[in-house]
Amino acid sequence: MKVDDEAVVEYFKRVADGLEIDIMIQDAPMSTTPLSVPLLARIAREIPQVNYAKIEMPQAADKLRALAAAAGPSLPGLFDGEEAITLIPDLEAGALGTMSSCMVPDQLGQIVRDFHAGERDKAIHAWEDLLPFIHFENRQCGLRATKVLMKEGNIIASDRTREPVGELNPHTRAQLVEMAKRKDPLILRWA
Amino acid sequence: MKVDDEAVVEYFKRVADGLEIDIMIQDAPMSTTPLSVPLLARIAREIPQVNYAKIEMPQAADKLRALAAAAGPSLPGLFDGEEAITLIPDLEAGALGTMSSCMVPDQLGQIVRDFHAGERDKAIHAWEDLLPFIHFENRQCGLRATKVLMKEGNIIASDRTREPVGELNPHTRAQLVEMAKRKDPLILRWA
């Protein structure tokens, strides 16, 4: 379904009506209704509860930068929305944080805190070191990566995912676990 | 337009009719006609000129592995099709090479040669070192990255791209050039 800008604004007005908590808008490429920068900025201005947006589009950094300029203080919570595979460019463009998976939130959180504390080089170095791993998750595994590692770390008993997402190919699974062990994430140590 | 498997096979048969050169099939996610593994394997078996396929789909490594098993020697030329941002997983899955941009073919070619020469660790290390840069190209710049660097390297006079691809955001451009200088690619030294 594809709806026009007026219908999108009306939709968020109805969602927000009487709501006391904040709203985060997900700007996802799989949506058939595109959310332009002017539309997102307008929603943020007209609907006070809309304080966050997670941007998952190609060239996310450009969109974040344009959105920060267009929406200003009415949209303070801009987030990278792609499991942190574009984290540093997005932070440089004005993102406050990242909507990552649960695979390495400990390490990603540290990178975000370091970046905002002015430790840019440290954050870049740590992120570049982590990129092959989170990129492997994003491109080869999807949401199955977190489940597999939670099982490997004895946090959950089964890593089965619902249909239509099938089991991870055994080669891909083995590579993921091998990469994870090299990164020593909390997910493998916590339980 | 979306066509069924029979129509895809018929299309490639007509393209191949009388043709003496090899054909590479591009398996691209933007296509509205999906090319399944059994279909690609069938095309490779029935049409001798089809000897190459470049795989650009999400979870490319899984598809390459399945395709290598299904098509066997009738499809010897499997390629990673995503500017090498999934190069090592794809090589591990049976890819022969990569369809990269013209940004760092010198460095990517060396990685592919090292991998096939059995220097796996060296190839992985070099690729992981290059990943933030080629990933920045893929996610933030697209085809504009090569043009910008060819201009910076005095190979071409203008980095303008045709519509609808607009100019690269100046911040994004500056970051790209900064990253490129750290990698010392041929594109900046050749002219």
Side-chain angles (χ1 to χ4, degrees):
Chain A
M1 197 169 75
K2 185 172 173 172
V3 300
D4 66 18
D5 284 10
E6 295 308 317
V8 174
V9 173
E10 178 61 24
Y11 171 81
F12 280 104
K13 279 187 175 161
R14 288 204 203 173
V15 169
D17 185 34
L19 197 70
E20 287 175 17
I21 56 171
D22 284 344
I23 293 173
M24 172 179 267
I25 295 184
Q26 179 182 18
D27 183 24
M30 70 174 69
S31 166
T32 47
T33 296
L35 302 173
S36 69
V37 167
L39 175 59
L40 287 169
R42 180 183 157 198
I43 293 171
R45 274 194 310 272
E46 295 186 11
I47 304 166
Q49 294 97 324
V50 173
N51 279 322
Y52 296 89
K54 53 179 283 206
I55 307 301
E56 302 179 17
M57 307 301 285
Q59 279 129 50
D62 282 359
K63 191 158 190 177
L64 285 163
R65 198 170 272 117
L67 200 49
S74 63
L75 190 56
L78 293 171
F79 275 68
D80 154 63
E82 286 206 286
E83 296 169 35
I85 63 162
T86 55
L87 178 57
I88 294 292
D90 293 344
L91 290 174
E92 307 257 25
L96 199 65
T98 179
M99 294 286 295
S100 72
S101 78
C102 303
M103 198 174 76
V104 283
D106 48 321
Q107 300 188 18
L108 292 170
Q110 192 57 49
I111 291 168
V112 171
R113 287 190 293 275
D114 285 342
F115 185 90
H116 289 309
E119 302 255 31
R120 183 174 175 266
D121 287 349
K122 186 181 168 198
I124 291 176
H125 184 81
W127 177 74
E128 293 196 349
D129 189 56
L130 205 54
L131 182 59
F133 182 40
I134 55 177
H135 193 254
F136 190 85
E137 171 192 27
N138 183 279
R139 301 298 306 183
Q140 310 294 344
C141 308
L143 54 84
R144 296 171 295 189
T146 292
K147 285 209 164 184
V148 163
L149 296 185
M150 289 182 100
K151 188 183 175 197
E152 290 290 317
N154 295 314
I155 298 169
I156 56 176
S158 165
D159 56 13
R160 275 186 77 94
T161 39
R162 276 178 294 184
E163 293 296 339
V165 180
E167 241 181 302
L168 207 54
N169 178 296
H171 293 92
T172 307
R173 192 185 197 285
Q175 279 177 289
L176 175 77
V177 174
E178 183 203 322
M179 292 180 105
K181 285 181 178 162
R182 288 206 308 264
K183 300 298 176 194
D184 190 34
L186 183 65
I187 198 169
L188 292 182
R189 286 184 274 113
W190 182 78
Chain B
M1 198 169 75
K2 186 171 172 172
V3 301
D4 66 19
D5 284 9
E6 295 308 317
V8 174
V9 174
E10 177 61 25
Y11 172 81
F12 279 105
K13 279 186 176 164
R14 287 203 204 174
V15 168
D17 185 33
L19 197 70
E20 287 177 17
I21 56 171
D22 284 344
I23 294 174
M24 172 179 268
I25 295 184
Q26 179 183 17
D27 183 23
M30 69 174 71
S31 166
T32 48
T33 296
L35 302 173
S36 69
V37 167
L39 176 59
L40 287 168
R42 180 183 158 198
I43 293 171
R45 274 195 310 272
E46 294 187 10
I47 304 165
Q49 293 97 323
V50 173
N51 279 321
Y52 296 89
K54 53 179 284 206
I55 307 301
E56 301 180 17
M57 306 302 285
Q59 280 128 50
D62 282 359
K63 191 158 189 178
L64 285 163
R65 198 170 272 118
L67 201 49
S74 63
L75 190 57
L78 292 172
F79 275 67
D80 155 64
E82 286 206 285
E83 295 168 37
I85 62 161
T86 55
L87 178 57
I88 294 292
D90 293 344
L91 289 173
E92 306 257 26
L96 199 65
T98 179
M99 294 287 294
S100 72
S101 79
C102 302
M103 198 175 76
V104 282
D106 48 322
Q107 300 188 18
L108 292 170
Q110 190 58 49
I111 291 168
V112 171
R113 287 190 293 275
D114 285 342
F115 186 91
H116 289 309
E119 302 256 31
R120 182 173 176 266
D121 287 349
K122 187 182 167 197
I124 290 177
H125 184 81
W127 177 74
E128 291 196 350
D129 189 58
L130 204 55
L131 182 58
F133 182 40
I134 55 177
H135 193 253
F136 190 85
E137 171 192 26
N138 183 279
R139 301 299 306 180
Q140 310 294 345
C141 308
L143 56 83
R144 296 172 295 190
T146 292
K147 284 208 165 184
V148 163
L149 296 185
M150 288 182 101
K151 187 184 176 197
E152 290 290 316
N154 296 312
I155 297 170
I156 56 177
S158 165
D159 56 14
R160 275 186 76 95
T161 39
R162 276 177 295 184
E163 293 297 340
V165 181
E167 240 181 303
L168 206 54
N169 178 296
H171 293 93
T172 307
R173 191 185 197 286
Q175 279 178 288
L176 175 77
V177 174
E178 182 202 323
M179 291 179 105
K181 284 179 179 163
R182 288 207 307 266
K183 300 298 177 194
D184 190 34
L186 184 66
I187 198 170
L188 293 181
R189 286 184 274 112
W190 183 78

